[in-house]
Amino acid sequence: MAGDGVKPIASLLLVLNFCMYAIVATISGWALDVAIHRGFTIGPGFEVPAHFSPIFFPIGNGATGFMVIFALVAGVVGAATAIAGVDHIRSWNYDSLPSAVSSGIAAWALTLLAMGLACKEIELEGRNARLRTIEAFLIILSATQLIYILVIHGARTRA
Protein backbone atom coordinates (compact mmCIF):
# COMPACT_ATOMS: atom_id res chain seq x y z
CA MET A 1 0.00 0.00 0.00
CA ALA A 2 1.10 3.54 -0.65
CA GLY A 3 2.22 5.43 2.42
CA ASP A 4 3.33 2.43 4.47
CA GLY A 5 6.70 4.13 5.01
CA VAL A 6 5.15 6.90 7.11
CA LYS A 7 3.16 4.55 9.32
CA PRO A 8 5.92 4.36 12.00
CA ILE A 9 6.21 8.16 12.01
CA ALA A 10 2.44 8.51 12.42
CA SER A 11 2.49 5.94 15.22
CA LEU A 12 5.28 7.77 17.06
CA LEU A 13 3.48 11.11 16.75
CA LEU A 14 0.25 9.50 17.89
CA VAL A 15 1.82 8.12 21.07
CA LEU A 16 3.67 11.38 21.75
CA ASN A 17 0.53 13.47 21.27
CA PHE A 18 -1.57 11.14 23.43
CA CYS A 19 0.91 11.36 26.31
CA MET A 20 1.18 15.14 26.03
CA TYR A 21 -2.59 15.63 25.80
CA ALA A 22 -3.05 13.41 28.86
CA ILE A 23 -0.52 15.52 30.79
CA VAL A 24 -2.22 18.76 29.69
CA ALA A 25 -5.63 17.42 30.76
CA THR A 26 -4.26 16.22 34.11
CA ILE A 27 -2.54 19.49 35.02
CA SER A 28 -5.52 21.52 33.80
CA GLY A 29 -7.80 19.39 35.96
CA TRP A 30 -5.52 20.06 38.93
CA ALA A 31 -5.66 23.82 38.27
CA LEU A 32 -9.44 23.70 38.01
CA ASP A 33 -9.59 21.80 41.31
CA VAL A 34 -7.38 24.45 42.96
CA ALA A 35 -9.66 27.19 41.66
CA ILE A 36 -12.75 25.45 43.02
CA HIS A 37 -11.23 24.88 46.47
CA ARG A 38 -9.50 28.26 46.86
CA GLY A 39 -12.04 30.43 45.04
CA PHE A 40 -14.52 32.86 46.56
CA THR A 41 -16.68 31.52 49.38
CA ILE A 42 -20.13 33.02 49.27
CA GLY A 43 -22.38 32.26 52.23
CA PRO A 44 -25.16 33.88 54.21
CA GLY A 45 -24.41 37.50 54.89
CA PHE A 46 -21.68 37.73 52.23
CA GLU A 47 -22.00 39.69 49.02
CA VAL A 48 -20.39 38.91 45.72
CA PRO A 49 -17.22 41.01 45.31
CA ALA A 50 -17.45 43.91 42.87
CA HIS A 51 -15.13 42.34 40.29
CA PHE A 52 -16.29 38.73 40.73
CA SER A 53 -15.52 36.41 37.86
CA PRO A 54 -16.81 32.84 37.67
CA ILE A 55 -13.48 31.97 36.09
CA PHE A 56 -11.39 33.24 38.98
CA PHE A 57 -8.13 31.41 39.51
CA PRO A 58 -6.11 32.15 42.64
CA ILE A 59 -3.01 30.97 40.77
CA GLY A 60 -1.69 32.65 37.66
CA ASN A 61 -3.08 35.84 36.17
CA GLY A 62 -6.19 37.12 34.37
CA ALA A 63 -5.82 34.76 31.41
CA THR A 64 -5.29 31.63 33.53
CA GLY A 65 -8.97 30.73 33.91
CA PHE A 66 -9.68 30.82 30.21
CA MET A 67 -6.45 29.05 29.32
CA VAL A 68 -7.06 26.24 31.83
CA ILE A 69 -10.64 25.65 30.67
CA PHE A 70 -9.68 25.51 26.99
CA ALA A 71 -6.56 23.44 27.73
CA LEU A 72 -8.72 20.92 29.58
CA VAL A 73 -11.12 20.66 26.64
CA ALA A 74 -8.23 20.43 24.15
CA GLY A 75 -6.56 17.75 26.28
CA VAL A 76 -9.67 15.58 26.42
CA VAL A 77 -10.48 16.00 22.72
CA GLY A 78 -6.83 15.40 21.80
CA ALA A 79 -6.71 12.17 23.81
CA ALA A 80 -9.93 11.02 22.13
CA THR A 81 -8.40 11.88 18.77
CA ALA A 82 -5.48 9.61 19.57
CA ILE A 83 -7.93 6.76 20.11
CA ALA A 84 -9.45 7.39 16.66
CA GLY A 85 -5.90 7.58 15.32
CA VAL A 86 -5.10 4.14 16.73
CA ASP A 87 -7.97 2.72 14.71
CA HIS A 88 -6.61 4.37 11.57
CA ILE A 89 -3.04 3.21 12.21
CA ARG A 90 -4.30 -0.33 12.82
CA SER A 91 -6.34 -0.55 9.61
CA TRP A 92 -4.32 2.01 7.58
CA ASN A 93 -6.75 2.30 4.69
CA TYR A 94 -8.69 5.03 2.95
CA ASP A 95 -11.94 4.24 4.81
CA SER A 96 -10.50 5.08 8.24
CA LEU A 97 -8.71 8.23 7.07
CA PRO A 98 -11.59 10.76 7.19
CA SER A 99 -12.43 10.14 10.85
CA ALA A 100 -8.78 10.31 11.89
CA VAL A 101 -8.13 13.52 9.96
CA SER A 102 -11.34 15.29 10.96
CA SER A 103 -10.93 14.51 14.65
CA GLY A 104 -7.27 15.50 14.38
CA ILE A 105 -8.20 18.86 12.88
CA ALA A 106 -10.79 19.47 15.62
CA ALA A 107 -8.20 18.71 18.31
CA TRP A 108 -5.64 20.89 16.55
CA ALA A 109 -8.10 23.81 16.36
CA LEU A 110 -8.86 23.56 20.08
CA THR A 111 -5.15 23.28 20.80
CA LEU A 112 -4.48 26.45 18.79
CA LEU A 113 -7.19 28.27 20.75
CA ALA A 114 -5.71 27.14 24.07
CA MET A 115 -2.22 28.00 22.82
CA GLY A 116 -3.36 31.54 21.98
CA LEU A 117 -4.65 31.94 25.52
CA ALA A 118 -1.39 30.47 26.84
CA CYS A 119 0.53 33.10 24.86
CA LYS A 120 -1.64 35.79 26.47
CA GLU A 121 -0.92 34.26 29.88
CA ILE A 122 2.81 34.32 29.14
CA GLU A 123 2.54 37.99 28.20
CA LEU A 124 0.78 38.87 31.47
CA GLU A 125 3.32 36.93 33.60
CA GLY A 126 2.84 35.81 37.21
CA ARG A 127 2.28 32.06 36.91
CA ASN A 128 3.67 28.94 38.56
CA ALA A 129 5.68 26.01 37.15
CA ARG A 130 2.65 23.81 36.44
CA LEU A 131 1.01 26.52 34.39
CA ARG A 132 4.27 26.97 32.50
CA THR A 133 4.22 23.24 31.76
CA ILE A 134 0.72 23.50 30.26
CA GLU A 135 1.83 26.48 28.18
CA ALA A 136 4.90 24.69 26.86
CA PHE A 137 2.98 21.51 26.05
CA LEU A 138 0.25 23.47 24.23
CA ILE A 139 2.86 25.22 22.09
CA ILE A 140 4.58 21.91 21.29
CA LEU A 141 1.25 20.14 20.65
CA SER A 142 0.14 22.81 18.21
CA ALA A 143 3.10 21.82 16.03
CA THR A 144 3.13 18.04 16.57
CA GLN A 145 -0.63 17.71 16.01
CA LEU A 146 -0.32 19.57 12.71
CA ILE A 147 2.57 17.33 11.66
CA TYR A 148 0.52 14.26 12.60
CA ILE A 149 -2.41 15.47 10.47
CA LEU A 150 -0.11 16.17 7.53
CA VAL A 151 1.57 12.76 7.83
CA ILE A 152 -1.63 10.71 7.89
CA HIS A 153 -3.35 12.84 5.27
CA GLY A 154 -0.28 13.00 3.04
CA ALA A 155 0.09 9.21 2.99
CA ARG A 156 -3.17 8.85 1.05
CA THR A 157 -3.56 5.12 0.99
CA ARG A 158 -5.52 3.55 -1.84
CA ALA A 159 -8.50 1.30 -1.20
mmCIF file of all heavy atoms in Angstrom, residues 10-48:
data_model
loop_
_atom_site.group_PDB
_atom_site.id
_atom_site.type_symbol
_atom_site.label_atom_id
_atom_site.label_comp_id
_atom_site.label_asym_id
_atom_site.label_seq_id
_atom_site.Cartn_x
_atom_site.Cartn_y
_atom_site.Cartn_z
ATOM 1 N N ALA A 10 3.783 8.185 11.930
ATOM 2 C CA ALA A 10 2.444 8.512 12.419
ATOM 3 C C ALA A 10 2.199 7.860 13.775
ATOM 4 O O ALA A 10 1.605 8.473 14.671
ATOM 5 C CB ALA A 10 1.393 8.072 11.406
ATOM 6 N N SER A 11 2.665 6.631 13.934
ATOM 7 C CA SER A 11 2.492 5.936 15.224
ATOM 8 C C SER A 11 3.251 6.641 16.336
ATOM 9 O O SER A 11 2.728 6.809 17.446
ATOM 10 C CB SER A 11 2.975 4.492 15.110
ATOM 11 O OG SER A 11 2.232 3.798 14.158
ATOM 12 N N LEU A 12 4.476 7.054 16.059
ATOM 13 C CA LEU A 12 5.276 7.767 17.058
ATOM 14 C C LEU A 12 4.618 9.088 17.448
ATOM 15 O O LEU A 12 4.508 9.414 18.634
ATOM 16 C CB LEU A 12 6.693 8.009 16.528
ATOM 17 C CG LEU A 12 7.604 8.829 17.433
ATOM 18 C CD1 LEU A 12 7.946 8.048 18.692
ATOM 19 C CD2 LEU A 12 8.855 9.231 16.694
ATOM 20 N N LEU A 13 4.155 9.847 16.457
ATOM 21 C CA LEU A 13 3.482 11.115 16.745
ATOM 22 C C LEU A 13 2.186 10.889 17.518
ATOM 23 O O LEU A 13 1.835 11.678 18.400
ATOM 24 C CB LEU A 13 3.196 11.868 15.444
ATOM 25 C CG LEU A 13 4.402 12.523 14.780
ATOM 26 C CD1 LEU A 13 4.042 13.004 13.385
ATOM 27 C CD2 LEU A 13 4.905 13.673 15.624
ATOM 28 N N LEU A 14 1.490 9.809 17.200
ATOM 29 C CA LEU A 14 0.246 9.497 17.892
ATOM 30 C C LEU A 14 0.488 9.222 19.371
ATOM 31 O O LEU A 14 -0.209 9.756 20.236
ATOM 32 C CB LEU A 14 -0.418 8.295 17.226
ATOM 33 C CG LEU A 14 -1.798 7.918 17.713
ATOM 34 C CD1 LEU A 14 -2.798 8.997 17.327
ATOM 35 C CD2 LEU A 14 -2.204 6.592 17.118
ATOM 36 N N VAL A 15 1.493 8.420 19.674
ATOM 37 C CA VAL A 15 1.817 8.116 21.072
ATOM 38 C C VAL A 15 2.305 9.369 21.798
ATOM 39 O O VAL A 15 1.896 9.642 22.934
ATOM 40 C CB VAL A 15 2.866 6.983 21.141
ATOM 41 C CG1 VAL A 15 3.404 6.814 22.549
ATOM 42 C CG2 VAL A 15 2.274 5.676 20.632
ATOM 43 N N LEU A 16 3.157 10.138 21.150
ATOM 44 C CA LEU A 16 3.669 11.377 21.747
ATOM 45 C C LEU A 16 2.525 12.339 22.049
ATOM 46 O O LEU A 16 2.428 12.881 23.158
ATOM 47 C CB LEU A 16 4.691 12.032 20.807
ATOM 48 C CG LEU A 16 5.228 13.391 21.239
ATOM 49 C CD1 LEU A 16 6.118 13.243 22.455
ATOM 50 C CD2 LEU A 16 5.979 14.034 20.082
ATOM 51 N N ASN A 17 1.648 12.547 21.076
ATOM 52 C CA ASN A 17 0.533 13.467 21.269
ATOM 53 C C ASN A 17 -0.410 12.974 22.359
ATOM 54 O O ASN A 17 -0.899 13.768 23.168
ATOM 55 C CB ASN A 17 -0.232 13.670 19.966
ATOM 56 C CG ASN A 17 0.519 14.547 18.992
ATOM 57 O OD1 ASN A 17 1.538 15.130 19.326
ATOM 58 N ND2 ASN A 17 0.025 14.622 17.777
ATOM 59 N N PHE A 18 -0.684 11.668 22.393
ATOM 60 C CA PHE A 18 -1.571 11.143 23.430
ATOM 61 C C PHE A 18 -0.999 11.415 24.822
ATOM 62 O O PHE A 18 -1.718 11.870 25.713
ATOM 63 C CB PHE A 18 -1.812 9.642 23.247
ATOM 64 C CG PHE A 18 -2.660 9.053 24.334
ATOM 65 C CD1 PHE A 18 -4.027 9.268 24.344
ATOM 66 C CD2 PHE A 18 -2.091 8.316 25.357
ATOM 67 C CE1 PHE A 18 -4.819 8.742 25.363
ATOM 68 C CE2 PHE A 18 -2.862 7.792 26.371
ATOM 69 C CZ PHE A 18 -4.238 8.001 26.374
ATOM 70 N N CYS A 19 0.284 11.136 25.000
ATOM 71 C CA CYS A 19 0.911 11.363 26.306
ATOM 72 C C CYS A 19 0.880 12.840 26.688
ATOM 73 O O CYS A 19 0.558 13.195 27.832
ATOM 74 C CB CYS A 19 2.353 10.848 26.308
ATOM 75 S SG CYS A 19 2.474 9.059 26.188
ATOM 76 N N MET A 20 1.171 13.709 25.735
ATOM 77 C CA MET A 20 1.183 15.144 26.034
ATOM 78 C C MET A 20 -0.227 15.664 26.310
ATOM 79 O O MET A 20 -0.422 16.487 27.218
ATOM 80 C CB MET A 20 1.856 15.910 24.904
ATOM 81 C CG MET A 20 3.352 15.634 24.841
ATOM 82 S SD MET A 20 4.181 16.495 23.514
ATOM 83 C CE MET A 20 4.051 18.169 24.070
ATOM 84 N N TYR A 21 -1.219 15.209 25.534
ATOM 85 C CA TYR A 21 -2.593 15.634 25.796
ATOM 86 C C TYR A 21 -3.065 15.136 27.161
ATOM 87 O O TYR A 21 -3.788 15.843 27.870
ATOM 88 C CB TYR A 21 -3.543 15.135 24.706
ATOM 89 C CG TYR A 21 -3.609 16.025 23.488
ATOM 90 C CD1 TYR A 21 -3.338 15.526 22.214
ATOM 91 C CD2 TYR A 21 -3.965 17.366 23.584
ATOM 92 C CE1 TYR A 21 -3.418 16.330 21.094
ATOM 93 C CE2 TYR A 21 -4.050 18.180 22.470
ATOM 94 C CZ TYR A 21 -3.767 17.660 21.230
ATOM 95 O OH TYR A 21 -3.848 18.463 20.131
ATOM 96 N N ALA A 22 -2.677 13.927 27.545
ATOM 97 C CA ALA A 22 -3.047 13.409 28.861
ATOM 98 C C ALA A 22 -2.424 14.256 29.975
ATOM 99 O O ALA A 22 -3.078 14.545 30.986
ATOM 100 C CB ALA A 22 -2.619 11.948 28.993
ATOM 101 N N ILE A 23 -1.187 14.668 29.795
ATOM 102 C CA ILE A 23 -0.524 15.520 30.791
ATOM 103 C C ILE A 23 -1.206 16.882 30.869
ATOM 104 O O ILE A 23 -1.453 17.409 31.958
ATOM 105 C CB ILE A 23 0.980 15.648 30.477
ATOM 106 C CG1 ILE A 23 1.672 14.303 30.714
ATOM 107 C CG2 ILE A 23 1.624 16.746 31.314
ATOM 108 C CD1 ILE A 23 3.090 14.227 30.183
ATOM 109 N N VAL A 24 -1.535 17.462 29.716
ATOM 110 C CA VAL A 24 -2.224 18.758 29.690
ATOM 111 C C VAL A 24 -3.573 18.652 30.397
ATOM 112 O O VAL A 24 -3.927 19.511 31.215
ATOM 113 C CB VAL A 24 -2.390 19.266 28.231
ATOM 114 C CG1 VAL A 24 -3.413 20.385 28.147
ATOM 115 C CG2 VAL A 24 -1.065 19.728 27.674
ATOM 116 N N ALA A 25 -4.331 17.597 30.120
ATOM 117 C CA ALA A 25 -5.634 17.422 30.764
ATOM 118 C C ALA A 25 -5.485 17.217 32.272
ATOM 119 O O ALA A 25 -6.278 17.751 33.056
ATOM 120 C CB ALA A 25 -6.378 16.245 30.137
ATOM 121 N N THR A 26 -4.472 16.470 32.687
ATOM 122 C CA THR A 26 -4.258 16.216 34.109
ATOM 123 C C THR A 26 -3.896 17.495 34.865
ATOM 124 O O THR A 26 -4.475 17.799 35.911
ATOM 125 C CB THR A 26 -3.148 15.166 34.293
ATOM 126 O OG1 THR A 26 -3.531 13.967 33.622
ATOM 127 C CG2 THR A 26 -2.910 14.872 35.761
ATOM 128 N N ILE A 27 -2.946 18.255 34.340
ATOM 129 C CA ILE A 27 -2.540 19.486 35.022
ATOM 130 C C ILE A 27 -3.654 20.523 34.977
ATOM 131 O O ILE A 27 -3.877 21.253 35.949
ATOM 132 C CB ILE A 27 -1.222 20.031 34.433
ATOM 133 C CG1 ILE A 27 -0.095 19.021 34.643
ATOM 134 C CG2 ILE A 27 -0.851 21.356 35.092
ATOM 135 C CD1 ILE A 27 1.209 19.409 33.968
ATOM 136 N N SER A 28 -4.392 20.583 33.878
ATOM 137 C CA SER A 28 -5.519 21.515 33.800
ATOM 138 C C SER A 28 -6.604 21.131 34.792
ATOM 139 O O SER A 28 -7.225 22.000 35.419
ATOM 140 C CB SER A 28 -6.103 21.523 32.386
ATOM 141 O OG SER A 28 -5.155 21.976 31.459
ATOM 142 N N GLY A 29 -6.838 19.851 34.956
ATOM 143 C CA GLY A 29 -7.795 19.388 35.963
ATOM 144 C C GLY A 29 -7.355 19.756 37.366
ATOM 145 O O GLY A 29 -8.177 20.152 38.203
ATOM 146 N N TRP A 30 -6.051 19.646 37.624
ATOM 147 C CA TRP A 30 -5.520 20.061 38.927
ATOM 148 C C TRP A 30 -5.760 21.551 39.154
ATOM 149 O O TRP A 30 -6.188 21.961 40.240
ATOM 150 C CB TRP A 30 -4.020 19.761 39.001
ATOM 151 C CG TRP A 30 -3.361 20.427 40.157
ATOM 152 C CD1 TRP A 30 -3.309 20.002 41.447
ATOM 153 C CD2 TRP A 30 -2.687 21.699 40.138
ATOM 154 N NE1 TRP A 30 -2.634 20.915 42.225
ATOM 155 C CE2 TRP A 30 -2.250 21.965 41.443
ATOM 156 C CE3 TRP A 30 -2.410 22.621 39.125
ATOM 157 C CZ2 TRP A 30 -1.553 23.126 41.767
ATOM 158 C CZ3 TRP A 30 -1.727 23.777 39.450
ATOM 159 C CH2 TRP A 30 -1.295 24.014 40.768
ATOM 160 N N ALA A 31 -5.479 22.371 38.136
ATOM 161 C CA ALA A 31 -5.656 23.824 38.273
ATOM 162 C C ALA A 31 -7.128 24.171 38.488
ATOM 163 O O ALA A 31 -7.451 25.068 39.280
ATOM 164 C CB ALA A 31 -5.110 24.540 37.043
ATOM 165 N N LEU A 32 -8.013 23.463 37.817
ATOM 166 C CA LEU A 32 -9.435 23.699 38.012
ATOM 167 C C LEU A 32 -9.861 23.306 39.425
ATOM 168 O O LEU A 32 -10.643 24.013 40.072
ATOM 169 C CB LEU A 32 -10.241 22.911 36.973
ATOM 170 C CG LEU A 32 -11.730 23.165 36.908
ATOM 171 C CD1 LEU A 32 -12.011 24.628 36.585
ATOM 172 C CD2 LEU A 32 -12.352 22.260 35.871
ATOM 173 N N ASP A 33 -9.313 22.222 39.941
ATOM 174 C CA ASP A 33 -9.590 21.803 41.315
ATOM 175 C C ASP A 33 -9.096 22.852 42.317
ATOM 176 O O ASP A 33 -9.794 23.165 43.288
ATOM 177 C CB ASP A 33 -8.941 20.446 41.588
ATOM 178 C CG ASP A 33 -9.293 19.908 42.951
ATOM 179 O OD1 ASP A 33 -10.497 19.757 43.237
ATOM 180 O OD2 ASP A 33 -8.351 19.638 43.737
ATOM 181 N N VAL A 34 -7.912 23.393 42.087
ATOM 182 C CA VAL A 34 -7.384 24.449 42.959
ATOM 183 C C VAL A 34 -8.300 25.660 42.937
ATOM 184 O O VAL A 34 -8.598 26.248 43.979
ATOM 185 C CB VAL A 34 -5.940 24.839 42.533
ATOM 186 C CG1 VAL A 34 -5.509 26.133 43.197
ATOM 187 C CG2 VAL A 34 -4.980 23.728 42.872
ATOM 188 N N ALA A 35 -8.778 26.031 41.762
ATOM 189 C CA ALA A 35 -9.658 27.195 41.655
ATOM 190 C C ALA A 35 -10.974 26.965 42.388
ATOM 191 O O ALA A 35 -11.501 27.881 43.022
ATOM 192 C CB ALA A 35 -9.924 27.507 40.191
ATOM 193 N N ILE A 36 -11.494 25.749 42.331
ATOM 194 C CA ILE A 36 -12.751 25.454 43.019
ATOM 195 C C ILE A 36 -12.559 25.496 44.532
ATOM 196 O O ILE A 36 -13.378 26.058 45.257
ATOM 197 C CB ILE A 36 -13.306 24.089 42.563
ATOM 198 C CG1 ILE A 36 -13.797 24.185 41.116
ATOM 199 C CG2 ILE A 36 -14.426 23.605 43.484
ATOM 200 C CD1 ILE A 36 -14.117 22.852 40.481
ATOM 201 N N HIS A 37 -11.454 24.943 45.019
ATOM 202 C CA HIS A 37 -11.235 24.881 46.466
ATOM 203 C C HIS A 37 -10.757 26.194 47.071
ATOM 204 O O HIS A 37 -11.029 26.461 48.239
ATOM 205 C CB HIS A 37 -10.238 23.765 46.805
ATOM 206 C CG HIS A 37 -10.835 22.417 46.681
ATOM 207 N ND1 HIS A 37 -11.746 21.912 47.581
ATOM 208 C CD2 HIS A 37 -10.684 21.456 45.738
ATOM 209 C CE1 HIS A 37 -12.126 20.719 47.209
ATOM 210 N NE2 HIS A 37 -11.493 20.404 46.089
ATOM 211 N N ARG A 38 -10.037 27.004 46.311
ATOM 212 C CA ARG A 38 -9.498 28.258 46.858
ATOM 213 C C ARG A 38 -10.241 29.494 46.363
ATOM 214 O O ARG A 38 -9.815 30.607 46.631
ATOM 215 C CB ARG A 38 -8.026 28.413 46.476
ATOM 216 C CG ARG A 38 -7.120 27.406 47.103
ATOM 217 C CD ARG A 38 -5.694 27.787 46.806
ATOM 218 N NE ARG A 38 -4.817 26.645 46.915
ATOM 219 C CZ ARG A 38 -3.598 26.604 46.438
ATOM 220 N NH1 ARG A 38 -3.093 27.642 45.813
ATOM 221 N NH2 ARG A 38 -2.865 25.531 46.574
ATOM 222 N N GLY A 39 -11.306 29.303 45.605
ATOM 223 C CA GLY A 39 -12.043 30.434 45.042
ATOM 224 C C GLY A 39 -12.829 31.185 46.100
ATOM 225 O O GLY A 39 -12.694 30.966 47.308
ATOM 226 N N PHE A 40 -13.684 32.075 45.651
ATOM 227 C CA PHE A 40 -14.518 32.859 46.561
ATOM 228 C C PHE A 40 -15.491 31.953 47.302
ATOM 229 O O PHE A 40 -16.055 31.037 46.728
ATOM 230 C CB PHE A 40 -15.335 33.905 45.789
ATOM 231 C CG PHE A 40 -14.508 35.005 45.214
ATOM 232 C CD1 PHE A 40 -14.449 35.202 43.854
ATOM 233 C CD2 PHE A 40 -13.797 35.849 46.035
ATOM 234 C CE1 PHE A 40 -13.706 36.224 43.313
ATOM 235 C CE2 PHE A 40 -13.051 36.882 45.518
ATOM 236 C CZ PHE A 40 -13.001 37.065 44.151
ATOM 237 N N THR A 41 -15.686 32.233 48.589
ATOM 238 C CA THR A 41 -16.678 31.521 49.381
ATOM 239 C C THR A 41 -17.820 32.488 49.639
ATOM 240 O O THR A 41 -17.639 33.514 50.293
ATOM 241 C CB THR A 41 -16.079 31.036 50.713
ATOM 242 O OG1 THR A 41 -14.946 30.217 50.427
ATOM 243 C CG2 THR A 41 -17.094 30.254 51.512
ATOM 244 N N ILE A 42 -18.971 32.166 49.102
ATOM 245 C CA ILE A 42 -20.134 33.019 49.272
ATOM 246 C C ILE A 42 -21.110 32.271 50.173
ATOM 247 O O ILE A 42 -21.526 31.162 49.877
ATOM 248 C CB ILE A 42 -20.820 33.319 47.916
ATOM 249 C CG1 ILE A 42 -19.823 33.886 46.906
ATOM 250 C CG2 ILE A 42 -22.004 34.234 48.106
ATOM 251 C CD1 ILE A 42 -19.244 35.218 47.285
ATOM 252 N N GLY A 43 -21.454 32.870 51.293
ATOM 253 C CA GLY A 43 -22.380 32.257 52.231
ATOM 254 C C GLY A 43 -23.393 33.278 52.695
ATOM 255 O O GLY A 43 -23.463 34.391 52.176
ATOM 256 N N PRO A 44 -24.174 32.922 53.702
ATOM 257 C CA PRO A 44 -25.163 33.877 54.208
ATOM 258 C C PRO A 44 -24.477 35.125 54.775
ATOM 259 O O PRO A 44 -23.502 35.034 55.510
ATOM 260 C CB PRO A 44 -25.885 33.109 55.324
ATOM 261 C CG PRO A 44 -25.349 31.724 55.309
ATOM 262 C CD PRO A 44 -24.195 31.662 54.387
ATOM 263 N N GLY A 45 -24.962 36.254 54.386
ATOM 264 C CA GLY A 45 -24.412 37.504 54.885
ATOM 265 C C GLY A 45 -23.244 38.027 54.070
ATOM 266 O O GLY A 45 -22.747 39.111 54.335
ATOM 267 N N PHE A 46 -22.782 37.277 53.080
ATOM 268 C CA PHE A 46 -21.682 37.728 52.227
ATOM 269 C C PHE A 46 -22.226 38.192 50.886
ATOM 270 O O PHE A 46 -23.182 37.630 50.371
ATOM 271 C CB PHE A 46 -20.672 36.598 51.971
ATOM 272 C CG PHE A 46 -19.887 36.201 53.184
ATOM 273 C CD1 PHE A 46 -20.124 34.986 53.807
ATOM 274 C CD2 PHE A 46 -18.912 37.039 53.710
ATOM 275 C CE1 PHE A 46 -19.408 34.608 54.926
ATOM 276 C CE2 PHE A 46 -18.192 36.668 54.830
ATOM 277 C CZ PHE A 46 -18.439 35.451 55.438
ATOM 278 N N GLU A 47 -21.610 39.207 50.342
ATOM 279 C CA GLU A 47 -22.003 39.687 49.018
ATOM 280 C C GLU A 47 -20.926 39.305 48.016
ATOM 281 O O GLU A 47 -19.763 39.132 48.369
ATOM 282 C CB GLU A 47 -22.169 41.208 49.039
ATOM 283 C CG GLU A 47 -23.339 41.669 49.870
ATOM 284 C CD GLU A 47 -23.527 43.169 49.780
ATOM 285 O OE1 GLU A 47 -23.030 43.779 48.812
ATOM 286 O OE2 GLU A 47 -24.161 43.712 50.684
ATOM 287 N N VAL A 48 -21.339 39.223 46.785
ATOM 288 C CA VAL A 48 -20.391 38.914 45.720
ATOM 289 C C VAL A 48 -19.463 40.112 45.559
ATOM 290 O O VAL A 48 -19.922 41.265 45.524
ATOM 291 C CB VAL A 48 -21.139 38.624 44.395
ATOM 292 C CG1 VAL A 48 -20.176 38.406 43.258
ATOM 293 C CG2 VAL A 48 -22.053 37.434 44.546
#
